[in-house]
């Protein structure tokens, strides 16, 4: 069990006065990441100058998100755990979320692109993107684009992209990005996780000198709801749960990338078990990263230079 649990972050960094957004934080590792960040403040909060961290839970399922927020508030004493609706499968929802957030909040220090889908039968987002690519990559690509100026204004700031070891099996199929010619839901997930790594690499290059870092990570094999679209995987996950990380264990690298002091100036890297990990050759292909960036902007109808 200790081996399966993997590395654990040791940072005691406090987040008084900081604002963090975590997508998909109503369950699994996202919820555990929100719980950890929410408790990183002074208790009780000082009357002035040392407020607790504000953690925004950005989710599609508001009922689950409210339940998660209430649980975290009760456990940590932090009442600034806020729920905002965000559907990463709909660019209209993403734009509405960003517009409302920027109107309500003047600061943003940590953006954790955590939400994801896995092993979905062939389907498309509201905008016609293949579901894995649309949610796991394009949705977070657009969200980051819309919030980046606020992160720059509040620098030093961090962006954390939850990818996966599965990126090793991925390939950016520019001739069939949306799986209309051939589709395999396992490979579609791998492709989207490779896109996360390439996005991290290219964004880090573009943000050099801006005091906004961006890193990607593999959380490990975690016992969570991510495999819900596959009956076989759900059954296997239950059968072999002893050999899987708990959501708390899976959240350790996300938290590490978000708060560890030694990563203040580290950017464009990929982590697993709270330490640097090997990136596949395709994940280190700068030309593919630049082309994916350009194609992503075109699909989303944005200019991001």
């Amino acid at each position: 069990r200790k081996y399966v649990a993997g590395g654990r972050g040791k940072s005691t960094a406090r987040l008084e006065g900081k604002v963090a957004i975590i997508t998909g934080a109503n369950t699994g590792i996202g919820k555990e990441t929100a719980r950890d960040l929410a408790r990183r403040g002074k208790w009780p909060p000082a009357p002035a100058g040392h407020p607790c961290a504000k953690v925004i839970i950005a989710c599609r399922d508001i009922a689950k998100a409210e339940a998660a927020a209430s649980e975290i508030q009760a456990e940590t004493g932090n009442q600034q755990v806020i729920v905002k609706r965000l559907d990463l499968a709909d660019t209209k929802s993403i734009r509405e979320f960003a517009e409302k957030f920027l109107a309500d909040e003047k600061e943003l220090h940590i953006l954790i692109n955590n939400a994801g889908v896995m092993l979905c039968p062939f389907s498309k987002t509201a905008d016609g993107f293949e579901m894995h690519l649309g949610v796991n990559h394009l949705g977070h690509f657009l969200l980051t684009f819309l919030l980046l100026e606020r992160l720059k204004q509040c620098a030093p700031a961090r962006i954390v992209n939850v990818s996966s070891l599965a990126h090793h099996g991925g390939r950016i199929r520019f001739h069939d990005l949306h799986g209309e010619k051939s589709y395999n839901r396992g490979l579609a997930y791998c492709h989207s996780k490779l896109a996360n790594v390439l996005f991290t690499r290219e964004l880090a290059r573009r943000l050099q000198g801006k005091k906004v870092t961006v890193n990607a990570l593999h959380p490990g094999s975690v016992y969570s709801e991510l495999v819900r679209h596959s009956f076989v995987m759900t059954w296997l996950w239950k059968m072999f749960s002893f050999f899987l990380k708990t959501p708390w264990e899976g959240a350790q690298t996300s938290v590490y990338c978000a708060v560890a002091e030694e990563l203040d100036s580290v950017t464009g890297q990929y982590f697993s078990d709270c330490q640097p990990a090997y990136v596949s050759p395709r994940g280190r292909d700068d030309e593919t990263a630049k082309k994916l960036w350009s194609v992503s902007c075109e699909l989303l109808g944005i200019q991001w230079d």
Side-chain angles (χ1 to χ4, degrees), residues 188-303:
Y189 176 72
C190 295
H191 301 334
S192 70
K193 294 291 100 178
L194 174 60
N196 293 154
V197 173
L198 291 169
F199 171 46
T200 299
R201 189 176 184 88
E202 179 63 11
L203 180 57
R205 185 184 70 80
R206 290 167 178 258
L207 288 176
Q208 287 290 347
K210 304 295 184 184
K211 294 186 177 180
V212 179
T213 63
V214 52
N215 291 296
L217 66 99
H218 167 56
S221 296
V222 180
Y223 188 67
S224 71
E225 297 178 9
L226 189 60
V227 296
R228 64 187 178 277
H229 294 292
S230 169
F231 172 79
V232 173
M233 288 297 290
T234 300
W235 180 79
L236 287 172
W237 246 228
K238 288 181 179 178
M239 285 289 292
F240 297 99
S241 60
F242 182 80
F243 299 101
L244 300 172
K245 288 185 178 183
T246 66
W248 181 84
E249 290 162 351
Q252 291 303 297
T253 307
S254 294
V255 174
Y256 173 74
C257 289
V259 306
E261 297 90 340
E262 61 266 32
L263 299 185
D264 281 345
S265 59
V266 175
T267 190
Q269 301 301 306
Y270 172 75
F271 293 87
S272 178
D273 284 330
C274 300
Q275 59 186 1
Y278 179 74
V279 178
S280 74
R282 290 193 183 106
R284 290 179 269 122
D285 188 328
D286 289 333
E287 290 308 310
T288 301
K290 291 173 184 175
K291 184 175 181 181
L292 178 62
W293 183 283
S294 177
V295 170
S296 299
C297 287
E298 185 177 337
L299 287 170
L300 293 165
I302 60 177
Q303 288 188 318

Side-chain angles (χ1 to χ4, degrees), residues 18-68:
K18 303 295 185 182
V19 178
I21 293 175
I22 309 172
T23 66
N26 60 334
T27 188
I29 66 173
K31 179 179 174 182
E32 293 305 320
T33 302
R35 192 194 312 273
D36 186 288
L37 300 192
R39 61 163 56 101
R40 288 177 179 267
K42 293 185 178 179
W43 303 109
H50 297 286
C52 53
K54 179 176 285 189
V55 180
I56 309 295
I57 292 179
C59 295
R60 179 171 55 90
D61 191 326
I62 294 298
K64 278 189 176 181
E66 292 286 5

Side-chain angles (χ1 to χ4, degrees), residues 19-157:
V19 178
I21 293 175
I22 309 172
T23 66
N26 60 334
T27 188
I29 66 173
K31 179 179 174 182
E32 293 305 320
T33 302
R35 192 194 312 273
D36 186 288
L37 300 192
R39 61 163 56 101
R40 288 177 179 267
K42 293 185 178 179
W43 303 109
H50 297 286
C52 53
K54 179 176 285 189
V55 180
I56 309 295
I57 292 179
C59 295
R60 179 171 55 90
D61 191 326
I62 294 298
K64 278 189 176 181
E66 292 286 5
S70 295
E71 179 186 320
I72 294 170
Q73 289 169 354
E75 182 181 318
T76 66
N78 185 347
Q79 300 306 304
Q80 295 201 87
V81 180
I82 312 297
V83 171
K84 291 184 183 290
R85 187 178 186 281
L86 171 65
D87 184 354
L88 287 161
D90 185 347
T91 58
K92 181 181 178 183
S93 173
I94 298 169
R95 291 181 181 278
E96 288 175 349
F97 169 87
E99 183 178 355
K100 190 172 190 314
F101 173 83
L102 294 172
D104 294 345
E105 306 291 341
K106 301 308 176 190
E107 296 188 315
L108 177 60
H109 306 91
I110 300 170
L111 171 61
I112 302 180
N113 291 320
N114 164 82
V117 293
M118 180 180 182
L119 302 175
C120 299
F122 181 75
S123 56
K124 291 189 174 182
T125 68
D127 302 274
F129 309 140
E130 187 277 315
M131 189 62 70
H132 293 90
L133 183 78
V135 172
N136 298 351
H137 169 59
L138 291 171
H140 284 128
F141 188 97
L142 178 60
L143 179 65
T144 305
F145 166 75
L146 295 170
L147 299 177
L148 187 58
E149 286 306 311
R150 186 58 49 87
L151 284 160
K152 288 180 180 177
Q153 293 165 10
C154 300

